[in-house]
Amino acid sequence: MKVIDIINGASLFRLKRAVILGVKSLWMHKLRSMLTAMGIVFGVCSVIAMLAIGEGASYEAQQQIKDLGSQNVILESVKPTNNTTAGEQERSLILEYGLTYHDILQMQATVPGVEVTVPSREVKDFLWNRTNSVDGVVLGTVSWYPKMKNRDVLRGRFFTELEMASSAPVCVLTQSLARQLFPLDEPVGLTVRMRTSYFRVIGVIEDDPAVAAAAEGMEGTSQSSGEGMEMMVPMSTLKDHFGDVLFKYRSGSFEAVKVELHEVTVRIEDPDQVKPAAQAIQHILERNHKDVDYKMTVPLDLLQRAERTKQIFNIVLGSIAAISLLVGGIGIMNIMLATVTERTREIGIRRALGAKKKDIVTQFLIETVMLSGAGGLLGVALGIAIPVIITHFAGMKTVIEFWAPAMAFSISVMTGVLFGIYPAFRAADMNPVEALRHE
Amino acid sequence: MSRRPDTDPVIELRGVEKHYTMGEFTVKALQKVNLKIYPGDYISILGPSGGGKSTMLNILGCLDQPTIGEYFLSGSDVSQLSDNDLSKVRGKELGFIFQSYNLIQQLTVVENIEVPLYYQGVSEKESREIAVELATKVGLGTRLDHRPNELSGGQQQRVAIARALSCDPAVILADEATGNLDSKSGSDILRIFDELNAEGKTLIMITHDEAMAERTPRVIRLKDGEVAFDTYDQPD
Ligand SMILES: Nc1ncnc2c1ncn2[C@@H]1O[C@H](COP(=O)(O)OP(=O)(O)O)[C@@H](O)[C@H]1O
Ligand SMILES: [Mg+2]
């Protein structure tokens, strides 16, 4: 009997009528209903939009870090700032600092799992085509550089191990440099001159993604400043042509600098061993170098740091979402309590005409859920539209994860239930006699 | 003078009292009420202000329960029912007509008439048929989709009558049903009541209008919460 009663009460037909009734009641006060739902609309919309923007930003950051290679440890030579042996150095007139071949040999010998290394060395000078020059950089490196750095060779090819062994005078240009030196011609097969040496172009490689991103940000201002204007030659070729000591004539004074390696990328075979290996490398460098004339970057560390940042961001976001939905929920509860008071008479009438307490509860609960549900839907729509608009007009990457709108919507409905229960029960608990007497 | 019929009563109050406690005072709004109402009765309940009329209506209407005593409605004791069962009895066995019509503003004429049917779980189609038929019966067949605020007072009260009839109740309770109406509309309503009684409906009207006493065969007067006069108890 009881069970049948409940099934009857929950039947689809009654639910449908209750929903229609709810729509009518809400429609009576259109403006009020709309304003009440606004709290939920903005709560849901801001959560989805912020999530999408946050996801987009962290996706881009992670992509950039991944481009560096999550199994890599990147070492760079840095001119020491507080040079403790300055007196000695000045006497020899040659500033000597940075990573050495010795460092690398030691790493390969003592750190387990060091797979390959990409040493590179750079010489900054003018690079010439037949008639014009570009302020650029010659990068001495190894044949596996593109693979390790995740950079594609766009035309021609990269140099081979054979060319490394024979110190072949060949070079690969970055896309930007190729465009500057040979704007009209196919660069592969042509010749680039630096000082008195000639190099045959065998390929074009894509720009460093970091440089490309920076250049995109400030529309071409960096095009001619040497940034990204790289010419890659075999390590041995560079050494043959320019020796170990580099002479720079900059701002009126000579400066002699000896740097063996400007950059070394170490790849660790086992992804789980990146951290201990990085520590071992750090130890070697600390032992070999009195001054901190190197910089170590562990992309995996950066990645994890980025992930941690994202987690914190998500917690903050979650709190904001919770607070905004709480505020929206309180708004709904407030209005529903006012509505219940305002409709006391109606409640009395319904009770006199046979409505049970649970009928009254259902009626008001349906109204709050419809309010919050409608608010949630509108919020989802806006929350999806805003990131799309941002991406379209500001070019910022945004990522809408499929679960975000679904979750935000169901939470908004739950908010309606949660904050609707008290007003609904208050309505149902009214004494019918007093409710009927209510003005 | 009307005589007490021989049939079983539809309503029987036995020793019903209603007490209100206000601090140290206890107000006896009804006391020692013994009353039998028979099918087809047409009753006016009269009395001075504070005599207990409203309290009586609330108890008869199952909106409130007696402090002491028993209330039999259609043969079963409703004085001890749960709130849930009481709601059901109200919807099924009783029809209410109020002084201020008490229609639901957001609903149309038909929808208002359908409300008791909805709570009784009558199907949409059937309840629509009943509602249209009753609306036509009270002369509002052309105003089915109007809202209460588009109707005159007399029309609204006719909607309320149709609504009270929708579940075919055993008893119809009217509380000052003509109190808010001009004399023309009021007498229209009273004529409908007469017709309903002629069809065999049991009607109980609460009023302070002495003229009503002339109209109904049975009159009950309340004074200080007690039944001071009942036509059926008068010697012939
Ligand atoms: N809810 C209540 N609380 C306290 N006293 C009440 C309440 N309702 C009615 N009374 C008292 O009961 C008595 C009868 O009231 P009522 O039934 O309203 O009479 P009538 O409708 O004939 O004017 C009055 O003295 C009134 O003050
Ligand atoms: Mg009264």
Side-chain angles (χ1 to χ4, degrees):
Chain A
M1 183 65 189
K2 270 271 150 81
V3 177
I4 291 169
D5 227 41
I6 291 167
I7 293 169
N8 257 351
S11 80
L12 218 58
F13 140 70
R14 287 176 74 90
L15 191 68
K16 185 186 130 201
R17 305 253 314 232
V19 167
I20 292 171
L21 178 66
V23 171
K24 280 183 175 158
S25 301
L26 293 174
W27 198 248
M28 283 256 293
H29 303 281
K30 287 185 272 292
L31 182 66
R32 181 206 288 181
S33 302
M34 250 164 56
L35 291 177
T36 308
M38 274 306 153
I40 298 285
V41 172
F42 289 124
V44 167
C45 154
S46 60
V47 169
I48 296 174
M50 282 197 283
L51 256 177
I53 294 165
E55 281 294 328
S58 87
Y59 176 85
E60 283 209 318
Q62 295 199 1
Q63 208 50 49
Q64 277 175 15
I65 295 167
K66 275 180 190 150
D67 282 342
L68 293 175
S70 58
Q71 269 159 276
N72 292 352
V73 173
I74 297 161
L75 305 170
E76 285 164 274
S77 292
V78 182
K79 194 170 170 180
T81 42
N82 54 336
N83 203 331
T84 50
T85 53
E88 202 182 309
Q89 293 268 332
E90 239 161 292
R91 228 173 298 131
S92 69
L93 281 170
I94 297 169
L95 182 61
E96 192 179 338
Y97 68 87
L99 304 161
T100 61
Y101 292 109
H102 175 69
D103 291 330
I104 293 184
L105 291 175
Q106 219 173 353
M107 282 172 208
Q108 280 175 321
T110 58
V111 181
V114 169
E115 201 181 42
V116 216
T117 60
V118 181
S120 72
R121 188 164 175 247
E122 40 187 73
V123 177
K124 289 198 171 91
D125 213 318
F126 292 105
L127 304 170
W128 292 80
N129 60 14
R130 236 172 263 270
T131 52
N132 297 314
S133 71
V134 170
D135 196 358
V137 177
V138 181
L139 200 73
T141 186
V142 289
S143 58
W144 51 87
Y145 180 92
K147 187 177 141 238
M148 293 282 298
K149 292 286 194 180
N150 293 322
R151 284 167 70 176
D152 293 336
V153 176
L154 301 173
R155 281 202 293 280
R157 58 174 180 86
F158 211 73
F159 50 79
T160 61
E161 284 187 56
L162 204 69
E163 284 163 329
M164 279 170 68
S166 63
S167 305
V170 291
C171 70
V172 175
L173 308 179
T174 59
Q175 207 176 357
S176 314
L177 180 61
R179 219 176 279 142
Q180 290 269 314
L181 281 176
F182 309 108
L184 300 172
D185 303 316
E186 167 60 43
V188 177
L190 299 177
T191 304
V192 176
R193 177 172 71 86
M194 184 191 179
R195 296 184 195 164
T196 55
S197 309
Y198 291 87
F199 303 90
R200 188 165 53 85
V201 179
I202 56 167
V204 176
I205 191 168
E206 72 176 332
D207 285 338
D208 186 343
V211 173
E216 215 173 277
M218 36 195 181
E219 288 306 327
T221 45
S222 65
Q223 283 294 61
S224 54
S225 68
E227 190 89 350
M229 298 294 157
E230 291 174 333
M231 177 173 101
M232 294 165 191
V233 300
M235 197 82 199
S236 47
T237 309
L238 189 73
K239 199 170 174 181
D240 280 3
H241 285 261
F242 305 103
D244 280 336
V245 180
L246 304 175
F247 293 96
K248 279 186 190 166
Y249 186 76
R250 285 283 149 94
S251 52
S253 73
F254 245 133
E255 188 186 48
V257 178
K258 186 183 172 190
V259 177
E260 277 187 26
L261 293 168
H262 282 93
E263 194 191 304
V264 179
T265 302
V266 182
R267 188 187 180 91
I268 317 298
E269 209 171 1
D270 181 355
D272 292 337
Q273 292 301 312
V274 174
K275 285 194 155 187
Q279 264 172 358
I281 291 168
Q282 174 115 39
H283 278 302
I284 292 170
L285 292 174
E286 273 169 10
R287 220 176 26 225
N288 292 355
H289 296 255
K290 240 187 276 169
D291 304 316
V292 186
D293 54 1
Y294 58 86
K295 188 178 137 211
M296 189 167 115
T297 310
V298 186
L300 187 68
D301 265 355
L302 296 179
L303 200 64
Q304 285 172 348
R305 216 171 304 156
E307 267 160 18
R308 234 181 340 264
T309 310
K310 195 187 144 192
Q311 268 171 15
I312 292 169
F313 181 77
N314 280 348
I315 289 170
V316 171
L317 199 67
S319 318
I320 294 172
I323 290 169
S324 64
L325 284 171
L326 184 76
V327 171
I330 290 171
I332 285 190
M333 178 143 120
N334 187 23
I335 291 299
M336 284 317 288
L337 284 175
T339 302
V340 165
T341 306
E342 191 186 85
R343 285 161 66 186
T344 300
R345 186 67 165 269
E346 180 192 329
I347 294 162
I349 298 168
R350 289 182 179 278
R351 295 283 275 134
L353 299 181
K356 300 181 174 115
K357 281 188 178 183
K358 79 166 190 232
D359 291 322
I360 303 293
V361 169
T362 312
Q363 185 188 339
F364 281 91
L365 216 48
I366 282 177
E367 276 186 36
T368 33
V369 169
M370 280 199 303
L371 262 185
S372 62
L377 272 183
L378 203 62
V380 166
L382 272 180
I384 290 173
I386 287 174
V388 170
I389 290 168
I390 287 178
T391 305
H392 189 261
F393 287 103
M396 230 161 99
K397 186 167 180 61
T398 54
V399 177
I400 298 170
E401 307 233 33
F402 76 94
W403 54 263
M407 187 194 69
F409 176 70
S410 36
I411 287 180
S412 71
V413 170
M414 266 157 30
T415 307
V417 174
L418 195 71
F419 287 93
I421 281 177
Y422 176 66
F425 273 87
R426 205 155 118 165
D429 277 339
M430 267 191 249
N431 179 324
V433 174
E434 274 160 33
L436 273 170
R437 252 207 314 254
H438 192 90
E439 282 312 311
Chain B
M1 272 298 164
S2 297
R3 306 185 111 263
R4 190 179 288 274
D6 288 334
T7 46
D8 286 336
V10 62
I11 284 178
E12 184 174 359
L13 300 181
R14 284 189 203 154
V16 165
E17 307 215 347
K18 183 69 187 180
H19 303 170
Y20 291 108
T21 310
M22 304 170 77
E24 290 167 29
F25 292 97
T26 301
V27 179
K28 293 190 173 176
L30 283 181
Q31 36 185 338
K32 294 175 275 178
V33 175
N34 291 295
L35 195 61
K36 285 181 180 168
I37 292 166
Y38 298 89
D41 264 358
Y42 191 15
I43 306 171
S44 304
I45 296 181
L46 288 120
S49 179
K53 300 186 296 292
S54 297
T55 309
M56 183 70 141
L57 179 90
N58 291 340
I59 287 180
L60 287 175
C62 291
L63 291 164
D64 207 349
Q65 290 191 311
T67 314
I68 319 174
E70 290 166 320
Y71 174 12
F72 290 90
L73 178 60
S74 301
S76 56
D77 187 1
V78 295
S79 51
Q80 303 302 324
L81 286 182
S82 71
D83 186 88
N84 225 7
D85 293 334
L86 221 49
S87 303
K88 199 160 185 174
V89 168
R90 280 199 294 269
K92 201 159 165 283
E93 306 282 349
L94 301 166
F96 291 88
I97 296 160
F98 303 94
Q99 180 173 1
S100 47
Y101 331 127
N102 278 346
L103 300 179
I104 296 172
Q105 295 303 315
Q106 58 266 44
L107 302 181
T108 63
V109 166
V110 208
E111 286 166 346
N112 263 291
I113 298 171
E114 284 179 311
V115 171
L117 296 162
Y118 167 70
Y119 288 121
Q120 291 304 313
V122 177
S123 81
E124 207 171 346
K125 187 167 166 285
E126 194 181 339
S127 75
R128 184 51 57 108
E129 280 169 9
I130 294 172
V132 171
E133 190 193 312
L134 286 172
T136 312
K137 182 173 176 176
V138 297
L140 292 170
T142 54
R143 316 242 160 176
L144 296 179
D145 294 321
H146 286 235
R147 298 207 179 247
N149 59 11
E150 297 162 354
L151 300 176
S152 73
Q155 287 170 327
Q156 290 194 51
Q157 196 60 298
R158 280 187 269 155
V159 177
I161 292 171
R163 183 177 68 182
L165 291 170
S166 63
C167 285
D168 194 21
V171 177
I172 291 173
L173 298 166
D175 184 10
E176 305 275 9
T178 56
N180 281 11
L181 298 175
D182 58 79
S183 57
K184 166 78 173 58
S185 317
S187 59
D188 282 350
I189 296 298
L190 289 177
R191 209 168 307 121
I192 295 177
F193 284 168
D194 291 347
E195 281 168 26
L196 290 174
N197 181 247
E199 288 169 19
K201 286 276 171 210
T202 311
L203 282 121
I204 303 173
M205 296 197 289
I206 293 205
T207 179
H208 65 271
D209 182 3
E210 281 297 331
M212 290 295 295
E214 306 297 316
R215 192 163 193 122
T216 60
R218 186 178 178 189
V219 176
I220 293 169
R221 292 180 190 276
L222 291 176
K223 195 165 183 289
D224 299 328
E226 291 185 68
V227 177
F229 175 89
D230 183 346
T231 311
Y232 283 175
D233 290 340
Q234 302 307 305
D236 290 326

